[in-house]
């Protein structure tokens, strides 16, 4: 099965509540199904991630509000307008909840003034420069930010991937064998690729190169009008890399000392 922790906890809690209400103290067997899951899964990115036989369960409500891309971008802009109108000059951006939770729990970052940008890195940087923010810090999972290292400014899988491509290439430049590079390239997830790099002591030089490219493309997008920074993390391996200004910008959003 492919169900992320939050929905799993919600399912377990619901079953425990039902047992408690009914006075049942025995065991349970859970059978979960999604109608037409196998057919619908073929329209998603799941098969390329090695998730076969149905859909993965990633959300928590089961409700998806349909919105156009322009509506999403407009929502991001509205949130940025609000932050700027309140006098905020240091923009803190996350792709989604994973980055928020990681930053709050492991970096001690005050995430209360954040902006959630979904996949729209380019539009966020454009608008940050337009609104006169003094700097931008993006904190994101390697699966998202490694795309930015290739100049991909919309990180949705429909537009581009190349996650393991650049990791394999930079591994070769760092001394990896052809066999290892192929293993990295064929990895189904970035965490798997990171594991391979870590085992061969190549993670540090590869991530240094990746972060250098992330910074270059982000600065290029803002035309040098405002400085940018990024923190790359993995839930499995923690902080993987920081661009050159990341520590300085992190301090602007951190309560006390960095953890």
């Amino acid at each position: 099965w492919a169900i992320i922790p939050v929905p799993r906890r919600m399912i377990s809690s619901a079953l425990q509540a039902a047992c408690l209400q009914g006075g049942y103290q025995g065991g349970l067997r859970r059978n979960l199904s999604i109608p037409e899951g196998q057919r619908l899964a073929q329209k998603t990115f799941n098969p390329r991630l090695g998730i076969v036989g149905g859909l993965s369960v990633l959300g928590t409500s089961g409700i998806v509000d349909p919105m156009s891309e322009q509506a999403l971008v407009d929502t991001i802009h509205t949130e940025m307008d609000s932050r700027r109108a309140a006098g905020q000059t240091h923009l803190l951006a996350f792709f989604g909840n994973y980055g928020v939770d990681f930053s709050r729990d492991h970096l001690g970052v005050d995430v209360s003034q954040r902006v959630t940008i979904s996949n729209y890195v380019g539009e966020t940087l454009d608008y940050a420069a337009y609104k006169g923010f003094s700097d931008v810090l993006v904190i994101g999972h390697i699966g998202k930010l490694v795309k930015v290292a290739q100049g991909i400014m919309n990180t949705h899988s429909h537009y581009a991937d190349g996650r393991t491509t650049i990791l394999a290439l930079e591994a070769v430049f760092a001394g990896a064998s052809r066999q290892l590079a192929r293993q990295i390239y064929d990895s189904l997830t970035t965490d798997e690729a990171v594991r391979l790099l870590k085992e061969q002591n190549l993670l540090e030089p590869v991530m240094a190169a990746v972060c250098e490219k992330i910074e270059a493309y982000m600065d290029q997008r803002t035309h040098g009008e405002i400085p940018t920074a990024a923190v790359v993390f993995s839930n499995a391996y923690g902080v993987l890399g920081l661009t050159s200004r990341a520590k300085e910008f992190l301090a602007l959003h951190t309560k006390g000392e960095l953890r």
Side-chain angles (χ1 to χ4, degrees):
W1 43 263
I3 307 174
I4 65 171
V6 173
R8 290 210 305 270
R9 289 197 298 269
M10 294 174 69
I11 293 167
S12 296
S13 295
L15 290 173
Q16 289 170 4
C19 289
L20 183 64
Q21 184 178 8
Y24 177 70
Q25 297 181 352
L28 292 173
R29 179 184 179 88
R30 294 173 290 182
N31 290 316
L32 307 178
S33 65
I34 299 176
E36 297 191 68
Q38 285 185 313
R39 180 182 65 82
L40 295 172
Q42 299 306 311
K43 300 180 179 181
T44 73
F45 203 56
N46 282 0
R48 294 185 62 182
L49 297 176
I51 301 171
V52 297
L55 289 166
S56 50
V57 179
L58 304 177
T60 56
S61 69
I63 299 171
V64 177
D65 295 322
M67 294 181 69
S68 68
E69 285 204 12
Q70 188 57 52
L72 286 168
V73 172
D74 289 345
T75 300
I76 295 167
H77 288 176
T78 299
E79 194 170 2
M80 293 170 69
D81 287 340
S82 176
R83 299 296 180 210
R84 194 68 188 89
Q88 185 176 338
T89 59
H90 308 293
L91 183 64
L92 176 63
F94 295 96
F95 293 96
N97 290 334
Y98 284 145
V100 172
D101 293 343
F102 179 86
S103 300
R104 180 187 59 240
D105 298 340
H106 299 285
L107 299 177
V109 172
D110 178 3
V111 298
S112 63
Q113 303 302 309
R114 68 185 181 273
V115 170
T116 302
I117 66 172
S118 185
N119 297 295
Y120 302 97
V121 180
E123 286 85 351
T124 299
L125 294 173
D126 292 344
Y127 204 62
Y130 171 73
K131 293 297 293 185
F133 282 91
S134 59
D135 48 71
V136 180
L137 173 62
V138 179
I139 302 179
H141 190 275
I142 183 174
K144 293 288 188 181
L145 279 172
V146 76
K147 296 182 182 182
V148 179
Q150 299 165 88
I152 299 168
M153 289 292 159
N154 185 321
T155 60
H156 196 287
S157 57
H158 287 320
Y159 291 93
D161 186 16
R163 295 166 301 155
T164 58
T165 305
I166 189 172
L167 293 176
L169 178 63
E170 293 297 343
V172 170
F173 291 156
S177 66
R178 179 175 179 176
Q179 179 182 5
L180 175 59
R182 186 72 202 189
Q183 288 178 301
I184 295 168
Y185 179 80
D186 289 337
S187 295
L188 294 176
T189 66
T190 48
D191 277 342
E192 183 181 349
V194 168
R195 177 183 63 79
L196 292 168
L197 289 166
K198 192 175 181 68
E199 288 176 352
Q200 299 300 317
N201 296 316
L202 293 173
L203 183 59
E204 186 174 341
V206 167
M207 287 310 304
V210 167
C211 285
E212 185 177 338
K213 288 179 171 60
I214 291 171
E215 183 174 82
Y217 279 114
M218 288 176 63
D219 284 348
Q220 183 184 70
R221 184 67 182 232
T222 64
H223 304 288
E225 293 180 26
I226 56 173
T228 68
V231 177
V232 186
F233 77 91
S234 158
N235 294 102
Y237 297 99
V239 174
L240 299 175
L242 301 93
T243 60
S244 68
R245 295 179 286 262
K247 285 187 177 180
E248 174 189 350
F249 291 178
L250 267 173
L252 300 173
H253 302 282
T254 304
K255 296 177 179 179
E257 295 183 359
L258 288 178
R259 298 177 187 174

